Amino acid sequence: MSGARTQVAILGAGPAGLFLSHLLARAGIDSIVLECHSRDYLEHRIRAGVVEHGIAKHLDAVGLGERMRREGLVHHGIELRFDGRRHRIAMSELAGNKTITVYGQQEIVKDLVAARLAAGGDLRFGAEALEISDVLGPTPTVRYRHDGIESTITCEVVAGCDGFHGISRQALPPGAARAFERVHPFAWLGILAEVAPSTDELIYCRHDRGFALHSMRSFELSRFYLQVAPDEPLERWSDAAIWAELRRRFATEDGFELADGPIIERSITTMRSFILEPQAIGSLVLAGDAAHIVPPTGAKGMNLALADVRDLAHALIAKLVHHDESFLKAYSAACVRRAWHAQEFSTFMTTLLHPLAGDDFNNHLQLARLEELTSSRDAARHLAERYVDLASMRLFADATP
Ligand code: FAD
Ligand code: DHB
């Protein structure tokens, strides 16, 4: 079996793995990125869409913001819709003029892949990591298969950025970490449609038939999500049924009109909350979905992944360039703490907006909470602050070098 050597072996070329490789390269640290899927698959996988204020600023600061600033849509508010009425949460006004940028995850992935390849980065697509060994010993090693051939990489640090279904967590010594998990009793049916958005700002809509979200990707592309049963078969939903259900849920007293168009992508996402603690042991460090999953209602998953990596890159630069291990020692605690705050916000948004069939007590509480949020400036401010910039909250600033 042939072998290569690098300073940091990175598993996964999602936002976390690619961003880590980019930040390390800027400090002169080499890495090899292993990704089991093709470049084309990654660049077209539709997922998250909202970039928080502080994360967008950080992408700018490290040379990745140019296309996002040109093509991304800057938003200053969101709408909460319930009982057929629209209520604007003026996020920027409430949260120190901060904004969110609507820019698809796959666009960030494209920008990162382009930046890494232009800088001569070693990205191996179609390369599946099979096993990580010796994370407590002197020669951490990753065994992987590429084009049917097995090889190894030895390194100083293994970065597990391989998402929730990756193999990194399995390399933690038995009993060394604890997982906290909750599976929510519904899923999201997501679609991308070739039609101009029927709104200028995102609409989070609570309806007795279920939650609906109107988002977008550009002036020509709209993104929608519908709350469905957790085991919902995608085939049960014809295009006409999807549009009819979206119209029912988004309907308002003042006659909201929803434009439709060809549906070009559709998928079902299960809703899970998961936090692993700690997320670093020996020479194995985890970042992003490999270490934590939040339900998507708060739009935090990708932001959290990028925030982990911002901290991890600092910590690895301190270790590998300045021989200072202290930041790496603090890495896990800072990330886990941030992940719990993101979990709390995402759970808050999820339980606020998804009615539970047959639980009228819960459903009335939701309406009372929504009325509170849309009539109390303090309550709205609290939501706005966490929605626009949770992953860069000052609370965590002391943990980064
Ligand atoms: P990922 O993007 O999952 O990247 C991990 C990478 O590792 C993948 O490319 C995978 O192919 C690769 N990999 C896995 N195993 C191996 C292996 N053994 N060897 C090599 N490579 C491997 N968040 C939101 O905020 N809003 C949303 O609307 C939203 N929608 C989502 C829809 C879906 C279907 C999913 C799964 C997630 C969604 N998320 C959403 C969450 C958000 O997309 C994630 O938080 C984000 O992708 C995390 O980035 P990551 O780099 O940590 O993980
Ligand atoms: C999108 C996804 C989310 O989960 C969310 O809360 C807001 C927007 C999106 O895909 O655009």
Side-chain angles (χ1 to χ4, degrees), residues 12-16 34-37 42 45 47-48 105 127-129 161-163 166-167 225 269 287-289 296 299-302 305:
L34 300 175
E35 166 58 51
C36 57
H37 286 108
L42 291 186
R45 182 169 57 183
R47 287 187 173 178
Q105 175 170 326
E128 184 186 3
C161 301
D162 49 350
I167 62 150
Y225 298 95
T269 304
D289 278 14
K300 293 295 171 225
M302 179 178 64

Side-chain angles (χ1 to χ4, degrees), residues 47-50 188 202 204 213 215 217 223 225 296-297 299:
R47 287 187 173 178
V50 172
W188 278 11
L202 271 59
Y204 287 83
L213 172 59
S215 181
R217 288 293 177 272
R223 178 93 170 128
Y225 298 95
T297 330

Side-chain angles (χ1 to χ4, degrees), residues 22 31 62 104 117 125 129 145 159 163 205 220 224 234 240 271 274 340 365 374 384-385:
H22 177 86
S31 64
V62 297
L117 293 180
F125 297 107
R145 191 188 302 114
C205 175
E220 294 88 34
F224 296 95
L234 193 53
M271 291 274 214
F274 175 85
W340 276 116
L365 284 182
T374 51
E385 282 170 348

Side-chain angles (χ1 to χ4, degrees), residues 51-55 95 98-100 294 298-301 303-304 307 310 334-349 382-397:
V51 186
E52 287 186 5
H53 185 84
I55 299 296
K98 291 178 178 177
T99 57
I100 52 154
V294 291
K300 293 295 171 225
N303 289 295
L304 216 45
R310 182 178 55 189
C335 292
V336 169
R337 188 163 161 222
R338 178 170 49 222
W340 276 116
H341 282 268
Q343 200 67 264
E344 190 278 324
F345 178 69
S346 305
T347 304
F348 164 76
M349 289 290 281
H382 189 48
L383 184 149
E385 282 170 348
R386 292 181 296 162
Y387 188 82
V388 290
D389 210 17
L390 187 144
S392 308
M393 260 160 72
R394 286 188 67 78
L395 182 62
F396 316 112

Side-chain angles (χ1 to χ4, degrees), residues 71-73 75 195-197 199-200 216-222:
E71 297 176 16
L73 307 170
H75 285 196
V195 59
T199 175
D200 293 334
M216 61 204 69
R217 288 293 177 272
S218 67
F219 295 114
E220 294 88 34
L221 278 179
S222 298

